[in-house]
Amino acid sequence: MLLIYCPYCEEERSELEFRHGGDAHIARPTNIADITDEEFAEFFFLRDNPKGLIFERWRHIHGCGRFFNAARDTVSDKFYASYKAGEPKPDLSAVHPATEKTVETYEATEGTAK
Amino acid sequence: MSGANRIAGQGRLTPARTARFTFDGKSYEALEGDTVASALLANGVHLVGRSFKYHRPRGIVSAGPEEPNALIDVARDAARRQPNVRATVQEVFDGMKVTSQNRWPSLTFDVGGLNNLMSPFFAAGFYYKTFMWPKAAWEKVYEPVIRRAAGLGTAPTEEDPDHYANRYATCDVLVVGAGVAGLSAALAAAATGARVILCDEQPEVGGALHYDRSVTVDGKEGFVWAQEAAAKLAAMENVTVLSRTTAFGYYNHNFVGLVERVTDHVARPDRKAPRERLWQVRAKRVILATGAIERHMVFGNNDRPGIMLASAARTYLNHFGVAVGKKVAIYTANDSAYEAAFDLKRAGVQIAAIIDSRSKPGDAVLNEARSHGIEVLPGHSVVDTKGHRRVSSITVVRNGGGGKRSIAVDALLTSAGWTPSVHLFSQSRGKVAYNAETGQFLPGTYAQDCLSVGACNGTNGLQATIEEALAAGELMARATGNDGGEKVELRGENAFEWTGGMAGAAEGAGADTNVKAFIDFQNDVCAKDIRLAVREGMHSIEHIKRFTTNGMATDQGKLSNLHGLAIAAETLGREIPKVGLTTFRAPYTPVTFGTIINHSRGDLFDPARKTPMHAWEEAHGALFEDVGNWKRAWYYPRAGETMQEAVDRECRTVRAVAGVFDASTLGKIEVVGPDAAEFLNLMYTNAWDTLKPGRCRYGIMLREDGFVYDDGVVGRIAEDRFHVTTTTGGAPRVMNHMEDYLQTEFPHLKVWLTSTTEQWAVIAVQGPKAREIIAPLVEGIDISNEAFPHMSVREGKICGVPTRLFRMSFTGEAGYEVNVPADYGQAVWEAIWARAETLGACAYGTETMHVLRAEKGYIIVGQDTDGTVTPFDAGLAWAVSKKKTDFVGIRGLKRPDLVKEGRKQLVGLRTKDPKLVLEEGAQIVADPNQPMPMKMLGHVTSAYWSENCGHSIAFALVEGGHSRTGQTLYVPMPDRTVAVEVTDMVFIDKEGARLNG
Ligand SMILES: [Zn+2]
């Protein structure tokens, strides 16, 4: 069970109090009615699924109720940052090594099935 | 003496304190503090079970949690019974009933033993190969026979009457394991003032000190020192010492699960006490002092009862006072086993020989053995054993060839060395590193704030262990901000340093042999099975594990993993670390379901939400259905009525007179603020800025992808205040959905959201006499049809209490939804009911509500929609604003797949036989005579008998449904094919006259 720092309550609380909210920093286009199908797919469906650092949303649903963002390593589950919604994506290159962008699939790791 | 093999003056149990238990119906005497294993051995019982695959006779291998063989069924009474208990861990209590497992018909005569003779058919991977053909035989022959023969233990059939507790705890330093290392670490950490939890799986602390009598700490016998140290720790305010407590899982961020066995060792437990307690510990730092587990030697027929680990024999002698044999041989590749010979010899047991596979054993142990007059055979191996239900002799050869020699024994102790217990470290996602010098996998890269100390860290030597542990305890405590106290110092001495060890098959069990040299006793995996797996193409250790099932039994390969790995590496011609270790998973040892779920059972499994009128409904004979966590009144049967009769009566009465319905479970959200209308414009497809205060509108909420997410009536109470209702089940997710957009996408809007679901009791009064029922009770609201038309809302009073009165309908009748503060719910309900009853109305439940709404063509989101339905599919295009430039889902609705022809659309269905009610979920086809697989057009989403229509009614999602009106389609059922006609969805009062009456 994760221990998550809520930037509004300013303390670490158990994962039980939170709900995961998917990838962070995906802004809803202000002209959403006018975007192309490809742009909509990019906005709504496509995610990187990185092995390594991910920026994700959490809601302190059984606490203050606020949505916030956090940076977590998907391999170690270590949190590198936790910050309020609307704040810019922090630069973590100094504390966290580069993230592999590739999506891990069977084909990517084992090659094409024969 | 409790048992012929108990040796006077040996062990730490008190001879006068006895307990009786039965094993397979026979009564035995034990001493208090005995495990089932030690008590059985004291009574000369070595044969305790049959193996899983070959049903070979098996005995006790270990004296601890790593035990692979001695699994027993332990019963206190008929209901309090548990299978697959390790006899080496379970303490004896007076009156316990122990039964052996996995044998039929009896332990000593087992028909399944034929499997042993059939073993060529049970080679590794037999699960996947042998029983594949013919296909029909699997179901009728193979599976029943295998199921009869296999399986470990039998599950109890009665409900578990015990209760289980749960506790959350935090600490600065959690120390796992209370041997020399753990105790030292805990002492050092506790001295700083840090909050420490120390846990150990055994009843008493001490770890290896249970058997290793050559150790002294601060001049005291090791075990005595350990008890004193634990007592000192327990007396400190900042320390919690938990015995009989296993750390079974190491999860994220130093979250460690412990299970404390509270009463399983007690003859007559306090019934108020929990049987077991789950501790969910969040530690700032963790120190792992989990020790090491001795490995057995791998050689032909190494699985007979009477063959056990050397350290286990020392535990039985030095702690329990039990000699495991009268004439004992030792087979080892490691110095530590010699000490078993010394201890036994001193206790008067004859040592037949020490066979050491190494040509050069350690000098110190060799000299000591000679001084005891014990014959040592260096450079020799045991290649075979004899004895049916217990080992009777061993065959010894000189390595590299030489004369065979048979030695008569009644017990054989083996040791191939020590495997550090890195299970919890590995669970913490730490990466192990292979130490080629010692042949051990040790903690390498740490992933969490923890340290390993002592044997689990590969640390050899007593003083080195103590110093490492003291340093770690202090370091970890200081890291948590504790810096008080004095430095702890301890001095330990022991007789011998232990060196040596091997992994894999011993001489005589190599690749050129076909002997049964077991590595995994519980799953009957032999050295040759690993080789077979490699030959058949399994090159990854993960594949080899699954193919052979090595390490997949309940002991998770605590003895076998390294052996299997070494044999695989040898066969593959690769280095051990190149082949890799399989990942350790929680739990370390099996944990009962009772502990995991603890209080979450029965009434506490899930909260039951009850409306303010629940008691009245119960008193008036309502049956209830679960909707989410809610208990909702389902229907109100009168004496002698079936459900259908009750629902038919309720349906008739509502349309003829009126009905009263508890709608309190509807989700309710108060949306307040100057930008409330703008916010709702974004959240719903409808336009809200045009809604006047005092009016209501039916709203549809989409997800961004354009699919229907929820629906409900929204009333505008004031310019800046809306009363939003949601579906009963949807309230929390709708609230979350709204908060999400408000906080993250539209934070500029001045809006405040409050969940008010439980603040309002809602009484729906529906039917031609609805107005007459409530009229005398309402104050300050003109409820005439003109002043208060359909889809209006007013604030005023009813029965003297505040109300938000809605004129709305989910039945198609003229009706009201009376919202009152929840505390007044029952009182107002009773006042309304008194009027309703006099006028001939009825109370109705959710079933009638469902029928009535379906008669009117009103959908239920989640029943008639499934997350892939657009408002257009649902026939609700009218509710989607064409003027708005934005709302959630506006772009999703334009996706190519959502606008194309042939989508599944909601339609009404009428069965050609009006009496037939369709089954919800039934599939629909155009041509029932087409060959299979048929083309499915859709499915029935709602279906009821409509008493008011005099025929059955249904909704269905059908491909291109809106253009199929009038078509005949078919619903194939197992017993017949039902012909249906596609209709619109409104079955009653199509023009809506009744609503406005
Ligand atoms: Zn918070």
Side-chain angles (χ1 to χ4, degrees), chain A residues 31-63:
Chain A
N31 62 335
I32 191 163
D34 305 321
I35 62 176
T36 64
D37 286 333
E38 289 70 30
E39 286 166 333
F40 182 79
E42 182 68 29
F43 155 68
F44 190 75
F45 294 112
L46 300 179
R47 298 293 181 267
D48 285 338
N49 190 23
K51 182 177 181 181
L53 199 63
I54 190 168
F55 291 85
E56 62 193 7
R57 306 183 328 131
W58 288 89
R59 185 180 181 203
H60 195 186
I61 188 162
H62 300 298

Side-chain angles (χ1 to χ4, degrees), chain A residues 1-4 13-16 19 26-30 32-38 40 43-45 57 59 61 65-67 74-79 85, chain B residues 168 251-253 255 280 282 429 431 447 682 703-706 732-733 735-737 739-741 743-746 885-892 894-896:
Chain A
M1 193 168 13
L2 304 174
L3 199 57
I4 302 171
R13 307 292 299 170
S14 161
E15 186 183 344
L16 290 174
R19 180 180 294 173
I26 295 171
R28 185 175 185 272
T30 48
I32 191 163
D34 305 321
I35 62 176
T36 64
D37 286 333
E38 289 70 30
F40 182 79
F43 155 68
F44 190 75
F45 294 112
R57 306 183 328 131
R59 185 180 181 203
I61 188 162
R66 304 298 297 268
F67 282 85
T74 55
V75 178
S76 68
D77 276 336
K78 185 177 157 94
F79 281 102
Chain B
Y168 293 96
Y251 306 95
N252 281 312
H253 301 172
F255 184 76
Q280 303 191 54
R282 180 81 69 178
R429 301 195 195 176
K431 282 204 172 65
L682 288 163
R703 296 186 313 203
E704 206 70 84
D705 56 10
R733 61 182 160 81
M735 183 76 185
N736 191 64
H737 180 80
E739 279 287 354
D740 193 347
Y741 277 96
Q743 289 185 34
T744 66
E745 297 294 350
F746 313 128
T885 56
D886 197 3
F887 59 83
V888 173
I890 190 168
R891 181 60 186 80
K894 291 188 260 178
R895 291 191 290 138

Side-chain angles (χ1 to χ4, degrees), chain B residues 6 13 33-43 60 87-88 316 320 322:
Chain B
R6 199 84 68 171
L13 309 186
D34 259 329
T35 61
V36 172
S38 68
L40 288 173
L41 290 172
N43 287 284
I60 294 154
T88 52
Y316 291 121
F320 297 103
V322 174

Side-chain angles (χ1 to χ4, degrees), chain B residues 903-943:
Chain B
R903 287 187 57 79
K904 286 186 183 170
Q905 294 166 326
L906 263 181
V907 294
L909 295 182
R910 279 191 63 174
T911 49
K912 301 272 169 157
D913 173 355
K915 300 277 176 213
L916 252 179
V917 180
L918 293 169
E919 255 181 57
E920 289 173 359
Q923 295 289 320
I924 298 165
V925 301
D927 172 12
N929 300 314
Q930 64 187 298
M932 288 199 273
M934 294 189 186
K935 159 87 177 140
M936 309 286 189
L937 294 178
H939 68 278
V940 178
T941 63
S942 292

Side-chain angles (χ1 to χ4, degrees), chain B residues 1 47 116 196 274 370 493 554 597 611 691 778 878 906 926 988:
Chain B
M1 264 295 126
L47 170 63
N116 193 20
V196 174
R370 290 196 171 128
E493 286 176 47
T554 63
I597 63 171
T611 73
L691 186 70
V778 177
W878 57 267
L906 263 181
I988 256 179

Side-chain angles (χ1 to χ4, degrees), chain A residues 6-10 18 60 63-66 68:
Chain A
C6 172
Y8 294 95
C9 296
E10 300 185 337
F18 297 84
H60 195 186
C64 63
R66 304 298 297 268
F68 61 92

Side-chain angles (χ1 to χ4, degrees), chain B residues 415-434:
Chain B
S415 175
W418 296 84
T419 311
S421 292
V422 294
H423 308 79
L424 290 176
F425 170 79
S426 177
Q427 284 181 27
S428 81
R429 301 195 195 176
K431 282 204 172 65
V432 293
Y434 187 69

